Amino acid sequence: MALLNTPVRRTWFAVFVVGALAVPFFGNALVVDLLCRTALAVIGAQALNLLTGYTGLVSLGHAGLMAAGAFASGILTAELGAPFWIALPAAPLVGGLLGFLVGIPSLRLKGVYLALSTLALHFVILYVAAEYQSARGFSTGLLIPRPTLGPLTIAGGRAWYYTLLVLAAATTLFCLNLVRTRAGRAWMAIRDRDIAAATTGINVTRYKLMAFVVSSAITAFGGSLYGYYAGFVSVEAFTFFTAIEYIAMITIGGLGSVLGSILGAAFVTLLPYGVDALINVLPVGERVQSHLFAVKFGAFGLLMALFLVLEPRGLVSIWSRVRTYFDLWPFRYHPLGE
Amino acid sequence: MQVAANTLVLASTYVLLAVGYVVVYRASRILNLAHGELMMLGGYALFTLLSIAPGRPLLALVGTVVVSFLLGTIVYLVVMRPMAGHPLFSAVLVTISLGIFFRGLAILGWTAEIRYPLALMGFGTTSLRLPGGAVISNIDLLSMLAAGGLLLGLWMFFARSRLGIQMRATAENPRLAAERGVNIHLVFAVSWGISTFAAGLVGILYSSQVRLDPEIGVIGLKAFPVALVGGLDSLAGVLPAGLAIALLEVLAIQYVSPLLSEVVPFLALLVMLCVRPWGIFGTPEEIERV
């Protein structure tokens, strides 16, 4: 409740919750599917934001870790027939273990070099997964049956929507609370200046590893959910481009901001459909119509570059600027002395 | 013998690409992850020039490298210069997004169809039989010569020419260089130009050797570990690193599986990062450590 400390916040939060709960009764199947994908993206983006936004450790291996989680669940289900309640929690365990392994080089490397080691990791994980797929004869991917928990089966858009909504909300709440704890504050101290953090008694090694483990576990959990949602797991779903998309989410949204991750996740997930809608409205050439994929691809690249160059602090900073504008209206800036 | 020949051919492509990474990194400390896409655009520049002026291959070749050089300077002036002062990683992300943008643009402009500019030029590949029984194509030979020539040319440029020495000074300490009257923006722009010039060369060679389509930029990512293993700020390291990684990759294709060969450069990168993160010939102080 401490997070919702003002009446205004409480009101808006209630409006948001009611709106989110009501959507499946008004929207069609496509809208519900889009929102499910957004919720999945929110989980992944929150995980990456913990690592990159709060701890300042850049990771290009996000898609690889998602793949690891999805494959852990997929293999347990398809090969060993493990039930949902074993296969799903297995993903964060595998993710956490991998995160620990990846975290070890991070103790030696910083900045761009760390990004490169995670990039290499991405390709290695996907290679192992691809070898596994071809060796075991799952050339098109592993099929995952619908998750069943006792008498409950999650099937159909509406059920998935509520499940994912709850999980995304839980992840967000978890991250929101985590960054307010000792660990969260230690991460931010490490991000801002690691030597200063060490001199104030923060065990840099421990907290860096912890950031990797927590973030990777959530990431793998998200990847596993993605596998369940899609109904199958295949290496094609986790490309290098996916990793870039997640980085785009947290940078477009605003690094080191929980709200930013949500905004960014929604923005990046909905962008292709926005481009679709725009192209249907605008009179454009034949070529654009026939190469829609390329248009979306290019638009994504262009927007990401524009955000980085012109608005490096992301959507959140636009939001706070708009708010400040209305707070101060009719003045342009704070009067002196305030 | 064929293994040795294949290694040399692959290594020449890697060397040409890695030189591009090194030149930009030395100058501005930025990893240009759009390098592969710039190479792809070089290939398309060749294709377009050949379509506009058929029957004049020499003009098209010269035009391609000039266009590539200009493209690099434009990228620097328009996109990378405003990034000065931002965190380095944002600059790297900008290059990634630029690469994605270029790929989308290439599909829009030239469609995803596979092209063969060499046939358009009116040449074909002929195979040459080397002593020892190995077979390579004439383009392969050309690519090795280009790699050797480029390394030699750059070495001369950095060692002898006024601009080259200014570039080395800027690489060492940009602020001191600027205070000494070096026009560092010119230096950065020229570095980007040289880098994309090399990318244009690979674009020509690769599209003649293999094919031209909007996805060939992926090889740029695979050549990246070569630059790092050699040392990101060292031109000399590119050659041994290129040879070593190409050899490992060819051996992996030969004896293990083609799938493995795709990740060999990245495995080499991981090992190098654990053992000697600054590369074979790089400068150790480069990397901030905890």
Side-chain angles (χ1 to χ4, degrees), chain A residues 246-285:
Chain A
Y246 276 97
I247 293 185
M249 286 175 199
I250 59 167
T251 44
I252 288 178
L255 276 176
S257 154
V258 171
L259 175 66
S261 299
I262 299 175
L263 292 178
F267 186 85
V268 171
T269 317
L270 302 181
L271 175 69
Y273 300 90
V275 173
D276 253 357
L278 203 65
I279 281 174
N280 282 334
V281 174
L282 294 175
V284 285

Side-chain angles (χ1 to χ4, degrees), chain A residues 51-76:
Chain A
L51 189 65
T52 306
Y54 282 103
T55 323
L57 301 167
V58 178
S59 165
L60 291 173
H62 203 62
L65 288 167
M66 285 183 81
F71 269 89
S73 296
I75 291 168
L76 279 176

Side-chain angles (χ1 to χ4, degrees), chain A residues 106-118:
Chain A
S106 85
L107 305 175
R108 293 188 69 189
L109 303 170
K110 277 170 84 174
V112 175
Y113 281 84
L114 177 64
L116 295 177
S117 68
T118 54

Side-chain angles (χ1 to χ4, degrees), chain A residues 28-167:
Chain A
N28 56 10
L30 177 71
V31 172
V32 174
D33 176 55
L34 271 181
L35 289 172
C36 287
R37 282 172 194 281
T38 309
L40 283 169
V42 166
I43 297 176
Q46 295 290 10
L48 187 61
N49 190 37
L50 280 186
L51 189 65
T52 306
Y54 282 103
T55 323
L57 301 167
V58 178
S59 165
L60 291 173
H62 203 62
L65 288 167
M66 285 183 81
F71 269 89
S73 296
I75 291 168
L76 279 176
T77 320
E79 299 259 6
L80 304 172
F84 177 62
W85 58 270
I86 292 183
L88 185 67
L93 286 181
V94 171
L97 192 68
L98 272 174
F100 185 74
L101 290 177
V102 188
I104 291 172
S106 85
L107 305 175
R108 293 188 69 189
L109 303 170
K110 277 170 84 174
V112 175
Y113 281 84
L114 177 64
L116 295 177
S117 68
T118 54
L119 171 76
L121 177 92
H122 164 83
F123 285 101
V124 173
I125 291 182
L126 284 189
Y127 159 70
V128 173
E131 278 286 1
Y132 178 82
Q133 264 189 315
S134 65
R136 298 283 302 166
F138 295 110
S139 51
T140 51
L142 287 87
L143 286 179
I144 301 187
R146 290 209 179 91
T148 317
L149 197 65
L152 291 168
T153 302
I154 306 175
R158 211 174 279 177
W160 265 115
Y161 174 75
Y162 286 120
T163 316
L164 291 175
L165 186 70
V166 168
L167 288 173

